[in-house]
Every structure is written in structure tokens, then in C-alpha cells.
Amino acid sequence: MNVVMKFGGSSVATIEKIQNVADIIIRKKKEASNIVVVVSAMGKTTNELISLSKQISKRPDTRELDQLMSTGEMVSASLLSMALIEKGHDAISMTGNKAGFRTKGIHTKSKIEDVKTKNLDQALSEGKVVVVAGFQGINERGDITTFGRGGSDTSAVALAAKLGFDCEIYTDVEGIYSVDPRRYKEAKKLDVLSFDEVMEMAHLGAKVIEPRSVELAKKYNVKVYIALNTADKKGTLITDGGNVLEKNVINNISVIEDVLLVSFNAHKKKLSDIFLKLAQRNINVDVISQSEETISFTSTNENEDIIAELFEEENISYNFRRDLSKVSVIGNAMRSQPGVAASVFKIFSENEIEFYQVSTSEISISYIIDKDKVDDVIRILAQEFNL
Ligand code: ASP
Ligand code: MG
């Protein structure tokens, strides 16, 4: 087998951890003929680099910021490669540029256009383990760009897609769970999930893997295996829906916190103007609903002041409901099995749990509820749906 192994910041946070990662890679060499490793920056390095730049400018020049941030991954890549060499294994580290990542789009949020794997192929053919600095590439001007926070997952998936390798992402959790185990101790680790479910989870609050990387994995049908960075426990495989068992209607409950529910009165004709003004103020609006002349939408607590200011400027009467959370149930089988919403509604009413808004997608249903009810709701739903 051939594999891309990705190790995140917490897995390479110290020299000792880098040594452990080197040992895991060496063990992998017994079964894999070609190994490419992608690393993130050590621990909180990226945050530290950003905060250095903020001491110089409130809004640092983004080209320079990319130049700065990209160094984090270069440090961990070269240290890991050194560790492998020191342990007697042939290895070479590469910057995103040397590994062939060509990007387009704006600095700090660039997209991967292509990966020119010539240097990689050469090094692999010489039997080397190639350690690639994640999160970075170069644009058409030859400037370094980065892919947005958490972007080294995307580096790994892009390489796996391009090289036709398996993709393994090692992290500080044992895989993906039915509910965040920090919230619900009895949560189960899931053996397999579909791309769509994981994307939905990532957008609905689960902090498992960067959503763009799953999108890419889906596009190129790259199976992604998520596992603990000690590599000694079974993780979760993300694959297409086809071979995912549909025995569970619901596979996951995800939560987004700090939800603000905004209601206001306005004539229909004014709506587009209001939402445009919200957008111009960079207010992300989530679930929108309307009845008569009352419009409601959800946003996040941190936007409260800006929204209030806008409505006051516009002379619109409004109302905020604070301290809410969005709880979502997610499952591929919802596509074909009706009645999930009905059974959740029933559970809510039996347990006298109030919800303020509901929204659905093909494979999820989300409820806006009071923050202090979240743990109860999770426990009840998890028991009901055997999660
Ligand atoms: N080091 C980058 C970040 O912290 C990229 C990554 O971790 O994937 O966002
Ligand atoms: Mg990371």
C-alpha cells in the first residue's frame, strides 16, 4: 500500500512527540511501499506567529502574513525529517512549494489548483519518506500562500488524491464519535461515516476535520481514515455513502454554541435591503424564518452589537434571544427514511423541551434550543437513537 499520513499540530507539539511520530512512520514502512507525511505547525505555533504580526499591525499585510505563517509547518517538517534520518531511515522534507502545491486566490485563504508531484515522485522513487509542510503552496507569482486555518488536512487529501494513495489523518482523538465525548461520556466511536455526514457534522459544529478537506476527499473519492496519533487503536473511516451501513438513521449529534436569535418586524420589500446591510457588516446569518411581518434569523452572540446598531439606524423594532445553541441530528439514512423529524418532535414534547427554530437539510435536522438544555437533549436523543 501507499499512504499519505497527516499529523496535526498537537501530534508534533514537542520534540518528544516528533520522535513518537517518527516511530509510527517507521512502523508503517513495514506495510507501505511509499509514504508521504504531511505535518502542521508545532502546537500553537500558528497562533503565536499571528500574534507576533498583530504586535506590528492590526491588519498585517496578507502576503507577509502568509510568508510568516508558512514557516511554522517548515519547522515541524524539517525536524520530523531529521528525526527519521537520525533513526536510520532515508527521509526528505519539502516546503509546499517544493512538493508542488500550486495555488490561486487570495492570500491566507488560497485554493489548491494543482500539485505538481515531480519532486515527490523522484524522492519516493529513491525510497525516501517525504515529509511535506502542510497548509501552504505558491501562487502564479511564486509567492507563498496558505490555505486557511486547519488547512493541512486539505494538503494531505490533495496529495492522496493526486498520488492515488490512501489518506490517514492522525489526531488527538480516537476517531469520530456519535457525540463529542467531552459532552457525553457514553458516546460511541464510529467505524465508518460518509463524506456527506462528516461535512454536515463539520458545518454543524463538530470539530473533527476541516470541512474543505472532506469536500475534496468526496470530489476525488479519497477514503480518509482518522485515528489517534499513537496509531494503536481503531479509528474512523470516511468513505462514500455507498458502502456505509444504513442501520442507524442517526449517526451523530453536533452542537453549535453561542447562537443568537434575532427577530424583527419589517415589510417584505425591505428585507433584501436589510440582509444586504447585514452582509456588508460581515454578519453571518444562519437559519431564517418568517411569519406575517416578523422575520427571525440566527447569528452568533458576538454579532449582537453590530446587529443592534444596524436596526437602530434603520429604525426597525427588534428582539434578541440569547444563550441559545443549535443541536443537530445527522444521518445519511435520513435521505431515504422518513419520520426522523416526527420522532424528534415527539421526544421534545414528551420531555417539555422548547425549541425556537428548526431547519433541515437532506441528511440533518437542527433545533435551536436554550443552551442549558443541551446536555439533557443530547442524553435523551442519544438514548433514543442508540448513539
Ligand atoms: N498550522 C495551521 C493552523 O494552525 C494549519 C493546520 O494546523 O492545519 O491553522
Ligand atoms: Mg491543525
Side-chain angles (χ1 to χ4, degrees):
M1 102 203 269
N2 300 313
V3 64
V4 174
M5 304 170 83
K6 186 253 164 177
F7 294 89
S10 57
S11 311
V12 293
T14 61
I15 294 300
E16 197 191 341
K17 288 184 169 180
I18 289 177
Q19 303 278 19
N20 292 340
V21 167
D23 292 333
I24 291 168
I25 295 165
I26 292 165
R27 251 184 280 143
K28 192 65 152 191
K29 277 184 84 180
K30 299 202 178 88
E31 46 172 318
S33 13
N34 292 291
I35 300 179
V36 175
V37 180
V38 173
V39 285
S40 297
M42 294 171 74
K44 303 244 172 295
T45 300
T46 310
N47 288 347
E48 286 158 15
L49 292 170
I50 293 171
S51 82
L52 283 177
S53 75
K54 291 268 156 81
Q55 292 173 39
I56 295 201
S57 160
K58 262 198 201 126
R59 285 172 170 228
D61 181 90
T62 55
R63 181 198 174 276
E64 299 309 323
L65 190 58
D66 270 349
Q67 184 90 358
L68 179 70
M69 287 194 295
S70 67
T71 62
E73 273 67 14
M74 295 179 196
V75 170
S76 43
S78 43
L79 289 173
L80 177 57
S81 181
M82 269 178 217
L84 287 164
I85 294 167
E86 185 66 22
K87 288 174 193 283
H89 295 264
D90 215 359
I92 181 172
S93 66
M94 292 187 185
T95 61
N97 178 14
K98 173 110 184 175
F101 280 87
R102 299 287 180 269
T103 65
K104 58 171 196 266
I106 58 172
H107 277 291
T108 76
K109 286 190 184 73
S110 70
K111 300 222 154 53
I112 300 169
E113 186 154 62
D114 196 9
V115 192
K116 309 244 181 253
T117 57
K118 205 174 108 233
N119 293 331
L120 270 166
D121 295 336
Q122 176 65 32
L124 289 172
S125 73
E126 290 164 8
K128 294 186 166 90
V129 172
V130 185
V131 185
V132 177
F135 175 58
Q136 56 181 272
I138 58 161
N139 65 15
E140 61 286 353
R141 285 187 303 279
D143 286 328
I144 297 178
T145 69
T146 63
F147 306 157
R149 298 306 306 270
S152 44
D153 287 346
T154 304
S155 306
V157 172
L159 280 175
K162 187 77 191 191
L163 297 166
F165 286 15
D166 291 350
C167 187
E168 299 178 351
I169 295 189
Y170 293 91
T171 167
D172 47 10
V173 292
E174 278 183 30
I176 302 180
Y177 286 79
S178 56
V179 188
D180 184 340
R182 279 164 300 188
R183 274 192 180 280
Y184 180 63
K185 280 205 298 301
E186 291 93 272
K188 296 187 179 120
K189 187 170 63 189
L190 304 165
D191 290 339
V192 58
L193 281 167
S194 70
F195 295 125
D196 289 337
E197 283 172 320
V198 177
M199 263 193 277
E200 199 81 353
M201 286 167 59
H203 288 302
L204 293 172
K207 291 174 195 71
V208 279
I209 171 174
E210 194 223 359
R212 271 176 316 164
S213 64
V214 190
E215 232 163 273
L216 197 66
K218 179 180 168 163
K219 188 166 171 200
Y220 294 100
N221 200 9
V222 176
K223 293 187 183 66
V224 179
Y225 179 68
I226 311 236
L228 187 65
N229 52 24
T230 52
D232 55 359
K233 295 208 170 69
K234 190 157 182 271
T236 303
L237 183 70
I238 311 172
T239 177
D240 56 29
N243 38 26
V244 174
L245 291 175
E246 297 211 337
K247 57 178 194 283
N248 291 337
V249 191
I250 291 174
N251 277 323
N252 176 267
I253 306 175
S254 290
V255 182
I256 293 178
E257 290 182 323
D258 298 325
V259 174
L260 175 72
L261 181 64
V262 185
S263 306
F264 63 98
N265 294 317
H267 194 271
K268 272 189 190 141
K269 282 190 192 137
K270 274 215 80 181
L271 281 187
S272 65
D273 181 49
I274 294 166
F275 281 104
L276 180 68
K277 286 185 169 137
L278 287 165
Q280 283 162 347
R281 286 166 174 75
N282 262 325
I283 301 294
N284 62 314
V285 166
D286 191 16
V287 189
I288 304 177
S289 66
Q290 183 206 3
S291 66
E292 309 285 316
E293 289 214 332
T294 304
I295 321 296
S296 304
F297 66 86
T298 57
S299 190
T300 49
N301 283 343
E302 58 175 19
N303 290 329
E304 188 179 320
D305 293 346
I306 309 175
I307 297 170
E309 206 177 284
L310 170 68
F311 284 141
E312 264 143 44
E313 270 170 32
E314 299 287 317
N315 242 324
I316 291 170
S317 65
Y318 65 94
N319 178 46
F320 287 149
R321 193 181 276 278
R322 302 178 181 84
D323 293 323
L324 303 175
S325 296
K326 178 173 172 176
V327 176
S328 306
V329 294
I330 300 161
N332 231 16
M334 264 187 231
R335 248 189 260 276
S336 52
Q337 294 184 32
V340 180
S343 44
V344 179
F345 282 134
K346 186 157 167 271
I347 292 165
F348 275 52
S349 86
E350 277 169 6
N351 292 280
E352 289 173 21
I353 291 157
E354 202 176 350
F355 52 86
Y356 305 105
Q357 280 201 332
V358 183
S359 61
T360 61
S361 82
E362 256 193 300
I363 61 165
S364 72
I365 311 176
S366 304
Y367 300 83
I368 305 291
I369 64 171
D370 288 312
K371 182 179 160 184
D372 54 14
K373 291 277 159 38
V374 172
D375 288 330
D376 288 341
V377 167
I378 286 178
R379 189 177 29 78
I380 296 165
L381 289 175
Q383 280 163 6
E384 184 71 22
F385 290 100
N386 193 24
L387 295 171

